[in-house]
C-alpha cells in the first residue's frame, strides 16, 4: 500500500496597470511631490482569458466630477498631487512658452522589484498627455476663455471654462503616443497672472505578461523634473512659472494574485498497486505482470507558476521512492512516479507537462501556463516495473508499503 499526500502552499499574489491620468506638478524649489499608482492582476474564473492588470488607483483630480464619464470612456485616470503654483501669461498667438504651454518627455523604462527581492521586471512608461488648470489670480481679467484654437502637436482631450471664476482647464493629448519629446501650446489672448491649481498628465504603462510574473507585490519609482523653459525640466510649463515643487516622484505598486487550487477526490491518500487488467493472468497462468501500477487523479487550477517536489519514507540512491516488505526480509521495490499536468508546461524547457518523472534528487520542476487553467484533470502515476515485480512475487502473502509525499508549492 502506498500513501500519497498532495500538499499545497498558500496561494500567491500577482498584479499590472494599463492607462491612467495622473495629476502632478512641481517647479522652482527643492521639494518633491509624490504620486502613487497601484494596479493588480487577479485572474477570475468568470473571465479566464483576461491577462491584463486593473488600475486600482483611487479617483481624484480632474477626472472626478464633470469629466469622470469621459475619462472612463477613454481609459484615463487622474490623480491630484495637491501641488500648486503660478503662471504669468503674456498675450501671444505663436504657440509660444509665454502662454498655455506644456512640454512633455519621451517614454522611459521603470524597473519594479518584488518585495522579497527575488524578481524584477521592466515597465514601459509613456506620457501620452498633460493638462493644466489656471485661475485668474487677481480676478481682474476677462470672463471669457483666455485661449483659442487647436493646439499644435496635440489634440484637446478635455476642456472647460468657468467665466464666473475666470478659470480655464485644458488637457493636451499628444499625437505621437508618448514616444519622443513634444511641446503643446495654445494661442494666449490675455496678459495676466494666474494660479496653477492643477497640473495633470496621462500615461500608458506597458507591463510584462502578468502570467509570467510570480505572485507578489512589485514596487518601483521614477522621477520627473517640472519647471520653466529655461530650467531644462522633463515637463516644461513655459515661461513665468513658479511652483511649490520641482520634482514629481511616481511610485508604482503592482500586486499580482495568482490563484492556486488543488482538488483531491476521496481516497487519494491511498494507492493500491495492481496489474493492469487484474491478477487473473498471474493467478491462473503464472504470467508475471510487466508492472504493478495505480493512477491517482486530481484537478489543478492556476494562472501562475508552481513547483512540484517529492519526499519518500524509503528513498533510494537514484532518487526514486521505494516500498518495503512489512512481512519478511526482502529487497525494497523501486517505485516510478510520473506526473501529468495537461495544459501546463515545464517553465525551464517549454515541454508539455505530461508523464514527467519525479525523483528526490532532481531540482523541483516549475510549471507555468499562458492562461488561467481551471480544474484541469491531472494524474500521478505510480508503478513498480520489470524485475522488481518478479522479486515481489517471490514473497507471496507479503505486504509492501511506503509513504510518498508530493508537494505542490505555489510560490516556487
Amino acid at each position: 500500500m502506498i500513501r500519497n499526500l498532495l500538499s499545497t502552499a498558500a496561494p500567491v499574489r500577482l498584479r499590472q496597470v494599463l492607462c491612467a491620468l495622473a495629476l502632478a506638478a512641481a517647479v522652482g524649489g527643492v521639494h518633491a511631490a509624490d504620486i502613487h499608482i497601484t494596479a493588480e492582476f487577479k485572474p477570475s474564473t468568470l473571465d479566464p482569458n483576461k491577462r491584463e492588470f486593473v488600475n486600482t488607483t483611487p479617483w481624484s483630480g480632474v477626472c472626478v466630477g464633470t469629466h469622470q464619464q469621459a475619462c472612463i470612456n477613454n481609459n484615463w485616470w487622474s490623480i491630484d498631487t495637491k501641488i500648486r503654483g503660478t503662471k504669468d501669461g503674456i498675450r501671444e498667438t505663436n504657440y509660444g512658452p509665454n502662454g498655455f504651454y506644456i512640454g512633455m518627455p519621451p517614454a522611459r523604462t521603470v524597473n519594479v522589484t518584488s518585495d522579497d527581492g527575488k524578481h524584477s521586471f521592466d515597465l514601459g512608461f509613456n506620457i501620452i498627455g498633460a493638462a493644466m488648470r489656471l485661475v485668474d489670480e487677481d480676478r481682474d481679467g476677462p470672463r471669457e476663455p483666455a485661449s483659442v484654437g487647436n493646439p499644435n502637436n496635440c489634440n484637446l482631450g478635455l476642456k472647460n471654462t468657468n467665466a464666473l471664476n475666470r478659470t480655464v482647464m485644458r488637457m493636451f493629448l499628444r499625437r505621437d503616443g508618448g514616444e519622443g519629446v513634444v511641446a503643446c501650446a495654445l494661442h494666449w489672448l490675455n496678459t495676466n497672472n494666474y494660479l496653477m491649481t492643477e497640473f495633470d498628465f496621462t500615461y500608458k504603462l506597458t507591463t510584462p505578461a502578468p502570467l509570467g510574473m510570480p505572485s507578489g507585490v512589485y514596487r518601483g519609482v521614477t522621477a520627473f523634473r517640472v519647471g520653466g523653459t529655461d530650467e531644462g525640466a522633463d515637463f516644461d510649463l513655459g515661461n513665468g512659472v513658479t511652483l511649490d515643487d520641482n520634482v514629481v516622484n511616481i511610485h508604482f505598486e503592482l500586486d499580482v494574485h495568482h490563484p492556486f487550487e488543488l482538488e483531491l477526490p476521496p481516497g487519494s491518500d491511498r494507492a493500491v498497486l495492481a496489474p493492469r487488467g487484474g491478477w487473473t493472468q498471474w493467478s491462473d497462468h503464472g504470467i508475471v505482470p510487466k508492472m504493478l501500477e495505480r493512477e491517482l487523479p486530481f484537478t489543478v487550477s492556476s494562472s501562475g507558476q508552481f513547483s512540484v517536489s517529492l519526499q519518500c519514507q524509503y528513498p533510494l540512491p537514484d532518487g526514486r521512492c521505494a516500498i518495503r516488505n512489512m512481512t519478511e526480509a526482502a529487497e525494497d521495490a523501486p517505485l516510478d512516479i510520473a506526473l501529468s499536468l495537461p495544459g501546463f508546461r515545464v517553465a525551464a524547457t517549454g515541454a508539455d507537462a505530461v508523464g514527467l518523472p519525479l525523483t528526490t534528487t532532481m531540482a523541483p520542476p516549475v510549471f507555468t501556463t499562458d492562461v488561467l487553467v481551471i480544474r484541469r484533470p491531472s494524474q500521478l502515476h505510480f508503478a513498480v516495473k520489470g524485475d522488481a515485480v518478479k522479486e515481489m512475487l517471490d514473497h507471496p502473502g507479503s505486504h509492501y508499503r511506503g509513504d510518498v509525499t508530493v508537494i505542490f508549492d505555489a510560490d516556487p
Side-chain angles (χ1 to χ4, degrees):
M1 179 178 68
I2 304 169
R3 185 164 59 91
N4 168 42
L5 301 178
L6 298 178
S7 304
T8 65
V12 193
R13 310 177 18 119
L14 179 77
R15 261 188 165 183
Q16 166 188 22
V17 182
L18 271 170
C19 250
L21 179 114
L23 257 117
V27 170
V30 294
H31 302 95
D34 291 284
I35 293 173
H36 295 270
I37 294 174
T38 62
E40 71 174 1
F41 175 69
K42 189 175 183 179
S44 169
T45 55
L46 300 178
D47 189 8
N49 293 319
K50 187 171 185 178
R51 307 177 191 182
E52 300 174 346
F53 281 92
V54 174
N55 196 333
T56 56
T57 310
W59 284 99
S60 65
V62 69
C63 279
V64 175
T66 303
H67 301 294
Q68 184 158 341
Q69 191 57 52
C71 290
I72 293 173
N73 293 343
N74 290 281
N75 201 21
W76 300 332
W77 209 277
S78 66
I79 305 170
D80 185 359
T81 64
K82 308 301 182 182
I83 296 174
R84 305 295 182 254
T86 60
K87 168 80 176 184
D88 296 333
I90 299 176
R91 178 186 177 93
E92 285 184 343
T93 57
N94 62 353
Y95 295 108
N98 288 324
F100 200 111
Y101 182 97
I102 303 176
M104 289 174 266
R108 61 174 58 178
T109 298
V110 181
N111 183 261
V112 292
T113 301
S114 58
D115 281 351
D116 61 9
K118 294 181 180 179
H119 308 284
S120 293
F121 294 89
D122 287 335
L123 311 177
F125 188 66
N126 290 43
I127 300 298
I128 61 174
M132 275 197 298
R133 184 185 301 275
L134 300 181
V135 181
D136 182 354
E137 183 175 10
D138 300 320
R139 292 179 174 271
D140 58 356
R143 294 179 182 273
E144 298 304 315
S147 61
V148 296
N150 293 316
N152 59 342
N153 301 319
C154 295
N155 299 319
L156 277 176
L158 299 173
K159 60 179 181 178
N160 69 268
T161 298
N162 187 313
L164 180 62
N165 294 326
R166 294 177 171 85
T167 300
V168 60
M169 190 282 291
R170 299 288 184 266
M171 180 201 291
F172 295 138
L173 292 176
R174 55 197 294 174
R175 297 174 187 149
D176 66 357
E179 296 299 327
V181 177
V182 68
C184 302
L186 292 167
H187 293 314
W188 200 242
L189 301 185
N190 298 292
T191 298
N192 212 331
N193 298 322
Y194 297 91
L195 292 173
M196 194 203 76
T197 60
E198 292 179 6
F199 169 59
D200 318 343
F201 61 82
T202 61
Y203 69 85
K204 178 181 179 182
L205 188 63
T206 305
T207 66
L211 290 172
M213 300 173 69
S215 294
V217 177
Y218 296 79
R219 305 179 198 273
V221 64
T222 190
F224 291 94
R225 291 188 61 84
V226 184
T229 297
D230 59 351
E231 298 179 48
D234 298 302
F235 284 95
D236 177 2
L237 303 187
N239 297 330
V241 293
T242 302
L243 302 178
D244 298 338
D245 303 303
N246 67 345
V247 174
V248 175
N249 295 318
I250 305 173
H251 302 267
F252 301 93
E253 182 180 311
L254 309 183
D255 198 352
V256 178
H257 304 261
H258 277 305
F260 183 82
E261 184 176 312
L262 199 64
E263 296 182 5
L264 308 172
S268 296
D269 61 339
R270 185 171 181 268
V272 179
L273 304 185
R276 185 169 299 181
W279 288 97
T280 304
Q281 291 294 312
W282 165 248
S283 60
D284 294 351
H285 306 288
I287 300 175
V288 176
K290 293 182 179 180
M291 70 174 70
L292 306 180
E293 60 183 333
R294 176 67 67 187
E295 189 172 87
L296 290 182
F298 59 93
T299 64
V300 175
S301 299
S302 178
S303 66
Q305 295 187 346
F306 60 92
S307 65
V308 180
S309 58
L310 186 67
Q311 293 180 357
C312 307
Q313 182 181 12
Y314 305 117
L316 296 176
D318 63 4
R320 290 184 293 176
C321 297
I323 53 176
R324 178 163 294 176
N325 193 319
M326 300 287 106
T327 308
E328 57 183 275
E331 292 290 327
D332 290 346
L335 188 64
D336 290 289
I337 302 172
L339 175 66
S340 292
L341 299 166
F344 295 92
R345 64 179 186 278
V346 181
T349 64
D352 291 338
V354 177
L356 182 71
L358 293 180
T359 66
T360 59
T361 53
M362 67 190 300
V366 176
F367 302 97
T368 188
T369 178
D370 293 326
V371 296
L372 171 58
V373 176
I374 302 173
R375 296 184 183 88
R376 184 63 56 86
S378 304
Q379 302 85 32
L380 276 165
H381 185 262
F382 301 88
V384 176
K385 301 177 181 178
D387 291 342
V389 176
K390 185 177 184 302
E391 293 175 5
M392 292 176 67
L393 295 178
D394 286 340
H395 301 275
S398 296
H399 180 199
Y400 284 79
R401 65 163 296 158
D403 288 345
V404 173
T405 304
V406 180
I407 302 170
F408 287 73
D409 185 353
D411 188 13

